[in-house]
Amino acid sequence: MPGKTLIIVDMQPVFKASKDPNTIIAVTHEIFMARQNNHAIMIVEYARSGKTHAGFNDLLKGYQHKAKVSKWDDDGSKEIVRALCRRNFPMNTLRVCGVNTDCCVYETVTGLIRKLSKTKIELVKKACNS
């Protein structure tokens, strides 16, 4: 498996920003590209806030290199790092997208930078929203 993992943060319908059609299209594109390149894909969900948009789950049916992680606060980096290690997912490059850019995405990326100092972290601007 190549050295990238796509991290999709809080694309749950309870969050207004996750309903933006442009964001949904951009995250869908990221999923297609990750699958095409055989990259790992991790869906991160805020616990007790419902499930990720069903369409994204449908796109991942049958795909081996996927994981779903629940987090309990805005910074999901601890849960992500634990899941990356447990699943033996690549940590060379993490591509991060999702909502809300000024809260959960920001806090998670900041946490990942602190925890994974040798990892390249790419924030996919067009696939993020607030």
Side-chain angles (χ1 to χ4, degrees):
M1 182 176 0
K4 289 189 181 185
T5 298
L6 174 65
I7 309 288
I8 303 167
V9 178
D10 297 344
M11 286 298 291
Q12 298 157 270
V14 69
F15 301 114
K16 181 180 177 186
S18 77
K19 298 176 190 175
D20 181 285
N22 292 323
T23 306
I24 292 170
I25 291 167
V27 172
T28 299
H29 175 74
E30 289 298 313
I31 292 170
F32 277 125
M33 295 305 296
R35 283 191 66 147
Q36 182 178 351
N37 291 298
N38 202 35
H39 294 161
I41 301 171
M42 186 175 299
I43 292 179
V44 181
E45 295 178 336
Y46 217 117
R48 295 182 294 217
S49 294
K51 300 286 184 194
T52 296
H53 284 288
F56 296 136
N57 290 319
D58 290 344
L59 290 173
L60 294 172
K61 279 187 182 163
Y63 189 63
Q64 286 186 305
H65 309 300
K66 67 180 178 194
K68 191 174 285 190
V69 175
S70 291
K71 64 184 179 102
W72 296 94
D73 58 24
D74 294 343
D75 178 4
S77 63
K78 178 177 71 173
E79 293 86 351
I80 291 168
V81 171
R82 189 179 306 134
L84 288 167
C85 292
R86 187 174 58 244
R87 296 292 304 262
N88 199 30
F89 280 179
M91 290 190 267
N92 301 348
T93 303
L94 302 179
R95 287 182 61 81
V96 182
C97 62
V99 300
N100 283 304
T101 312
D102 58 346
C103 188
C104 293
V105 172
Y106 172 80
E107 294 294 332
T108 297
V109 167
T110 301
L112 289 169
I113 289 169
R114 282 193 304 266
K115 290 171 179 63
L116 302 172
S117 61
K118 296 181 180 180
T119 297
K120 179 180 179 183
I121 298 174
E122 301 172 344
L123 183 62
V124 187
K125 184 178 176 180
K126 67 182 179 191
C128 289
N129 198 341
S130 272

